[in-house]
Amino acid sequence: MAIRQPEVTAKHINTDDGDILIFTVKNSSNRIGICPLNSAKDDMYCLYAYDDPVVVFSGNSGNKYADKIVCEMGSMTQTSIINTAVKEVYDQLCAGAAFEYCLPNLLKMMPDGLYAVSWQKCYPTMGENMFFWSGYGVSKQIKCSSRYIKLIDENKTYSAPFLIPTAKPVSFESAGVMEASQKCRRGDELFGLSLHLSGFYSVLIKGHHAACAAVVNDEPFYTVQIQPVKDIWKAEDEEGVMQTLGLCSESFKIPFSVLDASEISAVLSTRACRIPDTYPSIRKKISAPKPAKSKGIPSQYNVFCEGYPDADMIASAQGIDELTPPMLEALLMGETTLDDKVIISENYYSSVTAACNYLRYHNTNDFLTFSLNIMKNPELSATYSYVATCMAKLHDKRVKDFFTEVIASGDPGYASIISVAKSYIDNYEQRQEISREEYAKSLPKASEKFDRKNFVSLSGVSEQIKNGQGAELLAMHIGSTGNTGEGAELIARHISSMVSEDTKK
Amino acid sequence: MSFYNLSGQIMQDDDGTSYIIADVFSVVPADGENPFVCNWADVDSVRIGDSVITINADGNSFTIKPELFESRKQFLSAKAIASSCAAMNGVPVHNAVELLPEKSLYVDFDIPDFAIFTKGQYSTKEIKSSLLLLLIGKTARILWTVGILGGIAALVFFHLLVGFDELNWWYLAIGSFFCGVGAVVITYLFMLVVSRIKYAGILKQYQKYEDTVTFAICEEGFSACESEIYGACNIIKWSNRDTYMETGSMFIVLRRNKPVLWIPKSLLNGHQYKRVQEIFALNMSEK
């Protein structure tokens, strides 16, 4: 029987959302994917890498808005074949290689289907103000991890900025942070490689130390995000008839018109999950008792992450188109509509919480002004508890003054927020700022061995090849991929001589 | 849904139209324009024949003919996915009569390593004899009734014709008994002929069964599936409506008096045979 070779093709498509790079994978080896865990009590699934369980998570349990419960189980790069491929791809990306050139090596191990790849700004948290790597291995429900998010219209696409770790904390090394700070950059940006899982969340395949470096240096962190596009995109036409327009995912909509028949067939024949041939081994590893935690991530990272937006803020920021001063005024008056249009939601409590999160994301001052105004209106007391909790996340003198006033007033209307206020006042003075610079200085220096190479990509150099510089480019390319020494030189000479002979002929 | 061990199937006809059976059912024209994509929940019905699948959806009827399947494995895979996806979404599935349990009965479950596994083909003779026994077995009560009624009728007839007295009662009684036996024999032969005529199609169907089957039996349920598409993650759970019977050559599990599982005893070794008996006795009553 003929062995079917994995086939990965890349192309850029133009959609209403701009240029999208998509990859079609056929005949894949299915080494990385999602499989159901059949004997589990609830509907549980597992992201696996060869025969290692990486992340176990719950399904949607019949509710498309249900948040997922996830638990990290293992490491994505534990198996050598996957580790080698991931490392190679990441090194090439670090060296500036085009996505089309390096990602197929990784994608051929993923299930057949359509994948959109993007350069995505991420926050190294799991949707809360805690470093994403800190809670590794603890089963937890993560906010806004469902396919559809209540605040965001179902027809709207949204970005997935949060990360789930796939490396065991035991692999954390302080020295690795400074090394990653120099090494793990694409252009000037610190970056990782991620695979989208669901909702706002992607699993970080590679770049955990780069994420640490981004947190320590207070720099933005990006990932090359691979997002499977497997949902059917349907919409009503002008006559109100439901039409199938293409395929979609959380962040992308791909119309059928940009795909050819074989690509459409390849995508439609994929299954949501597959049971790999390594399934018995995966099951055994999941059932095996977990070793006791040996090493954690330093607590400073959690403190540094307090300033990142949380999942509620991102949901509000992406789901609410605008929140103008008249709209805020109306909300403060206890209204949910303005000029007969629903501002956010018909439910007043949801409207206020969403508005708070929207303002927290966009402007802290506006948020404080809005929150303090809410707190002054006894008719809006139902929202006090939530608003006070949001306010308590800020270290601000105005908040402290307000909470002091609340405690001193003894107003029974504030009974629901007294405990939040007391706790805030108690912790306000004790709070110690941890300096990022000092922490960075305390980290061991990166080893001197590292010598970054400038990668010579062969994509987009057709003109130079036409001009007879192909052999030279190829030789440079071989050198840039790490093949140094006599071997690379010999290959380069050989190619060069072959090309010159061809030219003579 | 079950059969996650199988990948989606693409069947292409001569004009390049692709029929795709996976998590959705779709028909993609050769030029790729306006593909028909339908969630299984929106499918009206699925009809599965010996080697043909017909799917009715959105007012259209799509027939995937036998020649479109590249191999027997592709047909079996498409059939398994279509059956399980349709059943999961409450879509009616009409199956041709078959020896193996319907694929729509399977659910996701990891069959434990200590389950009883065996593999082999059905023997035509075993199937035929077991099936006839099953058909006749169903009519045992009728035969008893016919026998008793025949005997009583003979008694009444002899009494009216000859009259019982002290001298002849015992040989008239023996005569009545044999009349009852005769009635049973005639009825049995009559029913055998009727059964053979009535179930000729099924018998023919069963006799031509050539696929190698993998069996798995455990405390939670069973699986009897073509080896080409077998996965240790699909199982049919025991139901409280299950009963079983043991013939000379087969174990037969019945659900609502219809056979769902036939296990040839010839495929079981001594230990497996005992374990199967134990598991059956634990989960079902014997018929």
Side-chain angles (χ1 to χ4, degrees):
Chain A
M1 199 170 73
I3 297 167
R4 301 174 81 188
Q5 289 294 328
E7 199 181 305
V8 182
T9 52
K11 73 173 172 186
H12 285 269
I13 57 163
N14 278 308
T15 67
D16 296 342
D17 300 329
D19 183 71
I20 302 173
L21 173 62
I22 55 164
F23 288 85
T24 311
V25 181
K26 293 178 198 169
N27 309 329
S28 84
S29 55
N30 259 326
R31 292 301 176 217
I32 299 171
I34 291 171
C35 64
L37 294 176
N38 291 331
S39 295
K41 283 176 190 168
D42 305 311
D43 63 333
M44 298 297 286
Y45 296 84
C46 177
L47 171 73
Y48 65 88
Y50 191 61
D51 65 346
D52 288 312
V54 181
V55 178
V56 171
F57 59 97
S58 59
N60 66 5
S61 304
N63 178 357
K64 61 183 179 178
Y65 294 115
D67 285 336
K68 294 190 186 306
I69 296 167
V70 301
C71 185
E72 301 87 357
M73 300 295 296
S75 175
M76 181 64 103
T77 51
Q78 204 156 317
T79 311
S80 63
I81 54 160
I82 292 171
N83 188 28
T84 309
V86 169
K87 196 174 173 305
E88 194 177 300
V89 168
Y90 190 72
D91 286 347
Q92 289 173 346
L93 287 167
C94 282
F99 294 163
E100 301 93 309
Y101 173 77
C102 51
L103 287 176
N105 281 340
L106 183 62
L107 285 163
K108 70 183 181 188
M109 291 197 266
M110 294 186 182
D112 288 3
L114 188 72
Y115 295 85
V117 174
S118 61
W119 180 248
Q120 172 69 47
K121 188 182 176 186
C122 290
Y123 303 108
T125 70
M126 285 184 73
E128 287 176 343
N129 309 107
M130 191 174 137
F131 189 51
F132 80 119
W133 208 356
S134 298
Y136 181 96
V138 179
S139 186
K140 57 213 159 262
Q141 186 164 9
I142 48 175
K143 274 189 179 174
C144 302
S145 53
S146 54
R147 169 64 181 88
Y148 297 104
I149 292 164
K150 275 181 185 168
L151 262 177
I152 303 175
D153 188 278
E154 285 185 14
N155 295 318
K156 207 171 164 182
T157 53
Y158 57 86
S159 67
F162 298 115
L163 298 169
I164 296 169
T166 66
K168 291 177 180 169
V170 73
S171 64
F172 172 82
E173 284 174 15
S174 298
V177 178
M178 291 315 285
E179 192 170 325
S181 177
Q182 296 169 26
K183 187 180 168 185
C184 303
R185 290 180 187 271
R186 185 173 167 84
D188 292 330
E189 311 290 1
L190 283 164
F191 84 106
L193 184 59
S194 71
L195 171 65
H196 184 260
L197 188 69
S198 179
F200 282 167
Y201 297 85
S202 301
V203 290
L204 188 66
I205 299 172
K206 182 86 177 162
H208 291 67
H209 282 93
C212 293
V215 171
V216 173
N217 299 339
D218 198 15
E219 284 185 54
F221 181 65
Y222 291 84
T223 65
V224 176
Q225 192 178 83
I226 302 168
Q227 192 167 116
V229 185
K230 55 190 177 189
D231 294 337
I232 306 298
W233 172 22
K234 287 187 174 184
E236 282 184 2
D237 63 9
E238 290 163 355
E239 290 162 5
V241 180
M242 195 60 87
Q243 295 285 342
T244 308
L245 304 175
L247 297 152
C248 64
S249 65
E250 278 82 343
S251 310
F252 302 98
K253 282 182 175 174
I254 316 282
F256 282 133
S257 55
V258 300
L259 303 171
D260 64 35
S262 73
E263 287 170 332
I264 297 171
S265 298
V267 175
L268 292 174
S269 65
T270 59
R271 303 202 69 191
C273 36
R274 277 288 307 279
I275 290 183
D277 46 8
T278 53
Y279 182 70
S281 175
I282 294 169
R283 284 270 351 157
K284 264 183 200 161
K285 287 182 181 178
I286 289 175
S287 314
K290 283 188 197 171
K293 273 192 178 177
S294 55
K295 190 177 161 189
I297 307 296
S299 59
Q300 287 92 331
Y301 287 92
N302 289 335
V303 180
F304 296 153
C305 286
E306 281 177 2
Y308 289 122
D310 61 27
D312 288 331
M313 288 161 75
I314 296 290
S316 300
Q318 297 201 52
I320 300 170
D321 292 329
E322 59 168 357
L323 208 51
T324 59
M327 287 174 170
L328 291 173
E329 285 291 325
L331 286 172
L332 287 171
M333 302 277 284
E335 301 292 332
T336 56
T337 55
L338 179 68
D339 300 334
D340 296 331
K341 281 185 183 172
V342 174
I343 301 169
I344 297 171
S345 155
E346 285 176 354
N347 180 298
Y348 184 73
Y349 181 82
S350 303
S351 302
V352 169
T353 55
C356 282
N357 288 317
Y358 179 89
L359 293 171
R360 272 171 71 204
Y361 180 82
H362 285 288
N363 191 320
T364 311
N365 276 331
D366 288 354
F367 162 67
L368 276 179
T369 310
F370 179 72
S371 310
L372 292 170
N373 279 323
I374 284 181
M375 290 297 190
K376 282 174 191 164
N377 188 345
E379 288 178 8
L380 308 181
S381 60
T383 61
Y384 280 5
S385 181
Y386 184 85
V387 176
T389 313
C390 290
M391 287 169 75
K393 286 177 183 172
L394 299 174
H395 189 74
D396 192 284
K397 194 171 177 303
R398 279 193 287 170
V399 180
K400 187 200 166 199
D401 291 345
F402 169 72
F403 281 144
T404 312
E405 197 183 308
V406 164
I407 295 167
S409 70
D411 187 340
Y414 290 129
S416 61
I417 62 167
I418 286 287
S419 59
V420 177
K422 280 182 178 169
S423 159
Y424 186 86
I425 300 294
D426 290 346
N427 295 326
Y428 188 82
E429 301 299 341
Q430 290 168 13
R431 185 189 160 98
Q432 288 178 338
E433 287 291 335
I434 300 171
S435 161
R436 282 187 156 93
E437 287 77 20
E438 279 178 25
Y439 178 75
K441 275 180 198 168
S442 72
L443 291 172
K445 289 265 160 54
S447 67
E448 297 296 319
K449 284 188 291 181
F450 174 65
D451 176 25
R452 186 172 167 172
K453 295 181 186 72
N454 286 317
F455 189 88
V456 180
S457 168
L458 288 178
S459 58
V461 292
S462 54
E463 275 306 310
Q464 285 156 293
I465 289 169
K466 276 182 204 166
N467 295 337
Q469 296 167 3
E472 198 182 330
L473 272 169
L474 199 54
M476 284 166 70
H477 172 78
I478 291 162
S480 71
T481 52
N483 291 310
T484 53
E486 285 180 17
E489 204 180 317
L490 277 170
I491 298 168
R493 272 190 207 157
H494 178 67
I495 295 163
S496 189
S497 64
M498 280 170 68
V499 172
S500 56
E501 275 172 26
D502 278 353
T503 317
K504 279 177 197 170
K505 280 174 194 172
Chain B
M1 218 179 291
S2 50
F3 291 99
Y4 277 123
N5 55 318
L6 303 173
S7 57
Q9 299 298 318
I10 306 173
M11 284 68 65
Q12 204 167 51
D13 69 12
D14 293 340
D15 64 9
T17 303
S18 299
Y19 298 89
I20 302 165
I21 291 180
D23 287 348
V24 290
F25 168 66
S26 31
V27 181
V28 182
D31 58 5
E33 281 188 18
N34 302 320
F36 174 83
V37 184
C38 187
N39 289 319
W40 285 103
D42 300 326
V43 166
D44 299 325
S45 67
V46 177
R47 187 169 291 279
I48 299 171
D50 284 346
S51 51
V52 64
I53 298 175
T54 305
I55 294 168
N56 298 307
D58 204 16
N60 300 304
S61 181
F62 302 97
T63 301
I64 309 171
K65 293 173 188 162
E67 59 269 24
L68 302 191
F69 295 101
E70 284 172 9
S71 59
R72 175 80 178 151
K73 184 182 177 183
Q74 188 177 39
F75 168 72
L76 292 172
S77 301
K79 172 182 159 180
I81 296 171
S83 296
S84 65
C85 288
M88 173 81 181
N89 288 286
V91 175
V93 182
H94 308 286
N95 280 297
V97 175
E98 62 176 326
L99 199 59
L100 297 184
E102 286 178 15
K103 302 290 183 279
S104 53
L105 297 173
Y106 285 89
V107 293
D108 287 334
F109 187 85
D110 292 334
I111 298 173
D113 295 340
F114 50 81
I116 296 155
F117 295 98
T118 185
K119 195 175 176 181
Q121 282 182 315
Y122 284 107
S123 145
T124 310
K125 276 185 185 173
E126 285 172 358
I127 293 173
K128 199 175 168 183
S129 63
S130 297
L131 187 72
L132 283 173
L133 198 74
L134 188 73
L135 296 172
I136 298 305
K138 278 184 178 179
T139 57
R141 279 183 196 166
I142 298 171
L143 292 177
W144 272 106
T145 313
V146 167
I148 293 165
L149 287 176
I152 293 168
L155 278 174
V156 172
F157 177 75
F158 289 141
H159 180 66
L160 292 175
L161 192 72
V162 188
F164 281 90
D165 57 32
E166 282 179 5
L167 292 171
N168 68 3
W169 71 268
W170 61 276
Y171 56 84
L172 285 181
I174 290 171
S176 301
F177 172 76
F178 281 108
C179 285
V181 171
V184 167
V185 170
I186 290 164
T187 312
Y188 177 80
L189 290 172
F190 176 74
M191 287 173 77
L192 199 66
V193 173
V194 170
S195 295
R196 274 180 176 272
I197 295 165
K198 192 177 172 184
Y199 296 104
I202 300 174
L203 273 170
K204 204 176 163 188
Q205 180 81 28
Y206 283 5
Q207 284 174 32
K208 69 178 181 184
Y209 203 86
E210 287 172 350
D211 290 315
T212 303
V213 179
T214 301
F215 298 90
I217 299 129
C218 60
E219 273 78 2
E220 288 80 14
F222 62 90
S223 166
C225 193
E226 293 89 348
S227 298
E228 285 177 301
I229 60 162
Y230 170 80
C233 49
N234 310 307
I235 202 171
I236 300 173
K237 294 219 171 185
W238 299 119
S239 157
N240 53 10
R241 291 179 180 134
D242 290 346
T243 52
Y244 78 99
M245 60 186 284
E246 189 178 345
T247 69
S249 58
M250 292 263 191
F251 279 112
I252 305 168
V253 176
L254 303 129
R255 184 163 289 181
R256 294 177 184 171
N257 285 328
K258 285 184 181 172
V260 282
L261 174 67
W262 306 69
I263 308 172
K265 287 182 180 174
S266 56
L267 298 180
L268 303 170
N269 62 30
H271 171 69
Q272 288 177 327
Y273 176 78
K274 275 187 180 173
R275 284 276 296 128
V276 168
Q277 274 188 325
E278 282 170 16
I279 292 171
F280 280 9
L282 204 69
N283 292 286
M284 295 170 284
S285 57
E286 190 171 2
K287 194 154 178 158

